[in-house]
Amino acid sequence: MQSPGFLLIISGPSGVGKTTITHEVERALGAVFSVSLTTRPITPKDVEGRDYYFVDKPTFEARRDRGELLEWAEVFGNCYGTPRGPVQDTIAAGRIMILEIDVVGAIQIKARMPEAYALFVLPPSENELLRRLRSRKREDETVIQRRFAKAKSEIIQAWECSIYDDFIVNRDLDKAVAEAVDLVRQRRDR
Ligand code: 5GP
């Protein structure tokens, strides 16, 4: 018998490896990645429609005000939100829908859909997180320090809000991926 679909929330600070974990869960379990709407500027690494739908602020606000977003949050001064339609369709089709969203968004989802399964990915240490943020060579030092400060406060918030079902420490990426796939499989088969 096919297992019912459900929402999988994956959160964690920038640079912690959550995108790799997300892609592996997609591949291993046939899960579907929810493409968010964002007002943040597109970067050369982003693909429109695969990573995000890039929109301007008035478009974002209009869609949010029409009730088209399941949750939304402001991160680093930009708005991010989850389109409602694909989530409903994917779950109805019996598949796992992955939301790679921040803690504020995860709290909104859990309040409305307590059966959603929420994972938080932690770095092995603060120093290691800072090292990884720098090694991505994606931003200048000011932005890196801002992301680092936000990461530390997000980790505290994640512990304190008590909505996360499990925490994974990404010390070794292969092991963290295997652990995540295992946990999600257990949740699916329970
Ligand atoms: P980035 O700009 O680095 O891709 O993402 C910045 C942050 O926004 C990450 O923590 C990411 O998980 C979060 N994020 C991405 N999409 C959404 C969304 O639809 N809703 C919420 N609440 N957060 C999101």
Side-chain angles (χ1 to χ4, degrees):
M1 199 186 80
Q2 193 194 20
S3 6
F6 63 93
L7 271 188
L8 164 63
I9 298 168
I10 299 188
S11 307
S14 321
V16 81
K18 61 180 187 295
T19 304
T20 310
I21 293 176
T22 300
H23 290 321
E24 287 305 310
V25 171
E26 265 184 277
R27 208 178 50 81
L29 301 176
V32 180
F33 179 72
S34 160
V35 181
S36 296
L37 226 58
T38 184
T39 62
R40 105 152 145 66
I42 190 165
T43 69
K45 283 197 176 155
D46 293 311
V47 176
E48 160 73 25
R50 182 196 72 185
D51 301 300
Y52 287 104
Y53 297 110
F54 295 90
V55 294
D56 58 16
K57 194 127 189 226
T59 306
F60 186 95
E61 287 173 349
R63 294 192 55 183
R64 179 197 63 196
D65 296 346
R66 283 201 299 267
E68 291 179 23
L69 303 180
L70 197 57
E71 61 73 37
W72 74 280
E74 203 173 312
V75 187
F76 302 120
N78 297 308
C79 297
Y80 295 81
T82 303
R84 192 185 288 275
V87 169
Q88 288 165 342
D89 296 347
T90 304
I91 293 179
R95 297 179 75 182
I96 301 168
M97 185 101 196
I98 308 179
L99 309 188
E100 197 187 306
I101 60 175
D102 79 335
V103 177
V104 174
I107 292 170
Q108 295 172 52
I109 297 284
K110 273 286 210 172
R112 252 173 273 160
M113 305 166 93
E115 69 286 0
Y117 178 60
L119 273 181
F120 193 91
V121 187
L122 289 164
S125 68
E126 286 185 2
N127 278 347
E128 176 59 17
L129 179 65
L130 188 56
R131 197 193 62 74
R132 287 185 198 171
L133 283 172
R134 287 190 172 131
S135 74
R136 295 198 300 181
K137 299 197 182 355
R138 211 167 86 169
E139 298 113 352
D140 65 30
E141 188 61 24
T142 323
V143 177
I144 289 172
Q145 287 299 334
R146 210 172 52 170
R147 285 191 183 268
F148 184 50
K150 154 102 175 141
K152 288 191 281 187
S153 67
E154 191 163 26
I155 290 168
I156 294 168
Q157 205 185 356
W159 280 119
E160 289 181 345
C161 72
S162 69
I163 59 128
Y164 287 93
D165 297 284
D166 283 297
F167 286 81
I168 290 178
V169 179
N170 181 9
R171 201 164 275 115
D172 171 291
L173 189 57
D174 289 345
K175 285 189 185 144
V177 163
E179 194 183 339
V181 170
D182 219 46
L183 284 167
V184 178
R185 193 177 277 128
Q186 279 173 38
R187 160 65 181 81
R188 184 194 62 188
D189 299 340
R190 80 175 181 207

